[in-house]
Amino acid sequence: MADGLTLDGRTAIVTGAGNGLGRAEAMALAGAGARVVLNDLPGPAVRAVADEITAAGGQAVVCEGDVGDWATGEAMLAAALRSFGGLDILVNNAGMLRDRMVFTMSADEWDLVLRVHLRGHFITSRLATGYWREQSKQAAGPVYARIINTSSEAFLLGSAGQPNYAAAKAGIAALTVTTARSCARYGVRANAICPRARTDMTADLMGAAPQGAVDPLAPEHVAPLVTYLAGPAAAGINGEVFVVHGGVAAVMDPPRVRTVFRANSADSMWTLDSVAAALGPAFTGDGNAAGFACEDTLSLADQTIGFGGSR
């Protein structure tokens, strides 16, 4: 393995590591040489992943708990320091769904999804960046630090039946960019992925895997990008959002200004009449389609975009 790709001597935390995407990411990080702290809710699944990693010659410890609890975040960081002497990589993956239309969603369904996804990402990011900031002060310079967060195309598309999930994933993208901008001086590189992966959580949405063929939505196809972003070669990638699945990795543009309207009134300030005169002719549709939504990613299944361009 090339020097820029190896994770030998590095320590990673992976949340939601018991199944699906988190398991694939943990296995890939360990395969690249990282020592891993595996988090998931209490149960045999996450311990089985740890056993699989150690059986293959890797190093793994388990830290069970709810990512929405501050104490769980503290326990994960403590496990990394106690077991492996430090922390270099944080992969936030833990999540869950409570799908419902916005007009029937309960407050509890909203709060639970935001708690696990957005609060869970915040807690680990807060504790990891605090640790890295102190390490950077002691070293009088940047340290090695990588965060890979898990967002979703749900926020890009405005997924109709997932207002809680889409809002949480939009928040994760914003948290990622904020972390990248505020912590780069300490050596932190924070990026987010919007993966398509066939897991227990998405089984009802994506259906069964194809029989007798390579499954383009297998979580293992996402893990290489995560491992690359965790490695030394990705030092120049910061504050980016990727859509990734199968053989596709697309980096998203940030939001851009589409059109600018100017007030056409006596003092060049908006009045109700000048707003109507400016916006009325520009928006003549029936209003049934959302304008601030990115549907370009839906066509990515028909092409392969590499880091060097399209092919």
Side-chain angles (χ1 to χ4, degrees):
M1 186 179 295
D3 290 342
L5 304 180
T6 183
L7 298 178
D8 287 345
R10 305 296 182 187
T11 297
I13 290 173
V14 182
T15 70
N19 294 284
L21 191 57
R23 176 189 176 279
E25 291 165 342
M27 296 294 296
L29 291 167
R35 304 165 299 194
V36 290
V37 176
L38 308 176
N39 161 263
D40 214 313
L41 294 173
V46 68
R47 294 191 289 273
V49 176
D51 291 343
E52 192 171 353
I53 289 172
T54 55
Q59 299 181 64
V61 297
V62 172
C63 183
E64 295 174 323
D66 180 352
V67 293
D69 287 340
W70 187 271
T72 300
E74 290 180 320
M76 283 189 276
L77 179 56
L81 301 183
R82 180 180 62 251
S83 299
F84 305 124
L87 176 66
D88 306 289
I89 301 158
L90 169 62
V91 178
N92 282 310
N93 169 76
M96 47 88 70
L97 296 175
R98 289 295 184 272
D99 291 353
R100 202 176 298 276
M101 299 297 285
V102 66
F103 44 79
T104 56
M105 180 164 288
S106 70
D108 286 344
E109 289 167 333
W110 173 272
D111 290 344
L112 181 59
V113 170
L114 268 289
R115 181 180 184 277
V116 172
H117 288 274
L118 188 52
R119 177 179 165 86
H121 273 63
F122 160 70
I123 289 173
T124 53
S125 296
R126 160 63 180 84
L127 295 169
T129 55
Y131 166 76
W132 288 323
R133 181 171 178 263
E134 289 303 313
Q135 293 297 111
S136 176
K137 286 182 177 181
Q138 293 177 24
V143 297
Y144 189 100
R146 303 285 189 269
I147 297 177
I148 299 95
N149 288 330
T150 305
S151 185
S152 170
E153 287 174 272
F155 100 88
L156 296 170
L157 301 170
S159 184
Q162 299 180 306
N164 48 4
Y165 183 73
K169 293 305 190 181
I172 287 168
L175 174 63
T176 302
V177 176
T178 298
T179 304
R181 296 191 70 172
S182 60
C183 298
R185 72 186 76 174
Y186 308 120
V188 177
R189 300 293 180 262
N191 296 285
I193 62 167
C194 298
R196 292 185 205 170
R198 199 184 315 276
T199 67
D200 290 345
M201 192 176 82
T202 63
D204 292 340
L205 299 173
M206 296 185 175
Q211 296 296 317
V214 174
D215 181 6
L217 298 181
E220 289 72 18
H221 300 312
V222 174
L225 175 60
V226 173
T227 306
Y228 180 81
L229 293 173
I237 305 176
N238 196 29
E240 303 287 4
V241 176
F242 293 85
V243 174
V244 56
H245 56 91
V248 176
V251 62
M252 303 302 298
D253 271 336
R256 293 178 292 175
V257 175
R258 187 198 317 173
T259 307
V260 177
F261 299 97
R262 304 292 184 187
N264 184 15
S265 57
D267 59 1
S268 297
M269 296 295 108
W270 287 116
T271 66
L272 181 57
D273 286 340
S274 65
V275 170
L279 269 64
F283 296 92
T284 58
D286 60 13
N288 286 324
F292 194 74
C294 175
E295 297 184 352
D296 293 347
T297 63
L298 294 176
S299 65
L300 290 176
D302 300 326
Q303 57 186 305
T304 299
I305 299 177
F307 289 105
S310 301
R311 62 180 175 86

